[in-house]
Amino acid sequence: QVQLVESGGGLVQPGGSLRLSCAASGIEFSIYVMAWYRQAPGKQRELVARITSGGMPNYADSVKGRFTISRDNAKKTVYLQMNSLQVEDTAVYYCNGIFSRLGYWGQGTEVTVSS
């Protein structure tokens, strides 16, 4: 059974930081491209950051310089370090894993940026 389980969301003030984690099970994690998406209320889900199996990251323009994606293949976990958070970053954040035609989603973790 494949599971992607996110954690680390919560309420933070503007300018603050959070670190999201996504623990995978049931997949050969090291060969998967892992990504974080987010969906704000009333908006479409959008890609935030992606990291290849080889560890190469790329980011949405809106988070470049503020967010960092990383992975620990030994722990089967992908992380999203979010710094300088803005109100506009408020969303449910989803973990995604893709390999060839296989794709999986986590259940999401909510991030609220508010003063």
Side-chain angles (χ1 to χ4, degrees):
Q1 181 182 359
V2 177
Q3 281 192 309
L4 299 178
V5 181
E6 300 100 331
S7 61
L11 173 64
V12 63
Q13 292 187 340
S17 298
L18 282 175
R19 188 195 196 202
L20 306 183
S21 300
C22 170
S25 60
I27 61 172
E28 191 174 348
F29 180 81
S30 63
I31 66 174
Y32 274 69
V33 174
M34 301 300 298
W36 288 96
Y37 286 74
R38 67 185 180 188
Q39 187 166 17
K43 294 189 176 181
Q44 288 189 332
R45 192 172 297 190
E46 63 176 358
L47 176 66
V48 175
R50 178 188 288 125
I51 187 165
T52 67
S53 58
M56 187 69 67
N58 60 69
Y59 301 93
D61 287 343
S62 60
V63 306
K64 277 181 182 175
R66 301 188 297 122
F67 291 10
T68 302
I69 189 170
S70 61
R71 65 190 297 159
D72 185 331
N73 288 340
K75 295 182 178 179
K76 294 189 175 183
T77 301
V78 61
Y79 304 96
L80 186 68
Q81 177 67 45
M82 305 186 295
N83 298 329
S84 302
L85 282 160
Q86 304 168 356
V87 172
E88 298 73 35
D89 296 317
T90 294
V92 178
Y93 284 70
Y94 297 91
C95 178
N96 171 261
I98 291 180
F99 175 72
S100 185
R101 295 193 179 111
L102 299 174
Y104 303 99
W105 291 94
Q107 82 289 349
T109 185
E110 190 166 0
V111 172
T112 302
V113 185
S114 175
S115 55

